[in-house]
Amino acid sequence: MEGTRLDKWLWAARFFKTRTLAQTAIENGRVLVGGDRVKVAREMKIGDEVLIRVGDAVRTVVVAALSEQRGPASVAQGLYVETESSIRERVARAAARAMGVEPSRTIVGRPTKRDRRDLEKWREQ
């Protein structure tokens, strides 16, 4: 196989559920090949470095194989190799998300019993 369209490869590698979603991401600049914005029909070659942004997740992968058919996930994972720096960043983001702000701190509305007591202490001073 000489080359595969970028949108087909992203779909076959299971980064996007549909080719339309892959095309939209490419057009919006969320997919970069070699650090540059590219067109949907760009021919992928083995060894190309692709940066893929889906939501807040950023992955940098190197193309290891080409495919135009969407197969099982085990086959799709063989189409690329994620870079070490990308893996480190992904793990660091996951750890930061796990250590995020307690949800009750973001609730705005009626004060809790602790809030009421703190307000009373502040007023007494």
Side-chain angles (χ1 to χ4, degrees):
M1 187 177 296
E2 196 65 27
T4 302
R5 286 174 54 114
L6 176 58
D7 61 332
K8 284 186 179 183
W9 185 83
L10 290 169
W11 170 71
R14 293 183 171 257
F15 287 107
F16 297 96
K17 288 185 179 184
T18 64
R19 279 187 53 205
T20 305
L21 289 174
Q23 290 169 350
T24 304
I26 294 165
E27 290 167 357
N28 291 335
R30 294 189 191 108
V31 177
L32 306 176
V33 178
D36 299 324
R37 286 182 74 158
V38 293
K39 293 187 177 183
V40 174
R42 183 190 190 281
E43 291 287 316
M44 298 299 297
K45 305 269 189 284
I46 293 175
D48 283 346
E49 187 172 295
V50 183
L51 182 128
I52 305 160
R53 239 180 294 136
V54 180
D56 66 341
V58 179
R59 295 177 110 186
T60 304
V61 298
V62 176
V63 177
L66 300 175
S67 176
E68 290 188 356
Q69 293 182 345
R70 187 174 173 106
S74 58
V75 173
Q77 289 173 349
L79 297 179
Y80 61 89
V81 176
E82 190 170 5
T83 62
E84 291 295 323
S85 61
S86 176
I87 293 170
R88 278 195 305 272
E89 288 178 29
R90 199 162 37 88
V91 169
R93 281 180 187 251
R97 256 193 326 272
M99 299 301 292
V101 179
E102 182 180 336
S104 65
R105 290 287 180 198
T106 60
I107 297 173
V108 178
R110 187 173 177 178
T112 62
K113 189 182 278 189
R114 177 181 286 167
D115 293 337
R116 183 182 53 79
R117 289 178 182 155
D118 290 341
L119 281 171
E120 287 176 3
K121 286 180 186 177
W122 180 74
R123 286 183 186 151
E124 290 174 0
Q125 294 176 354

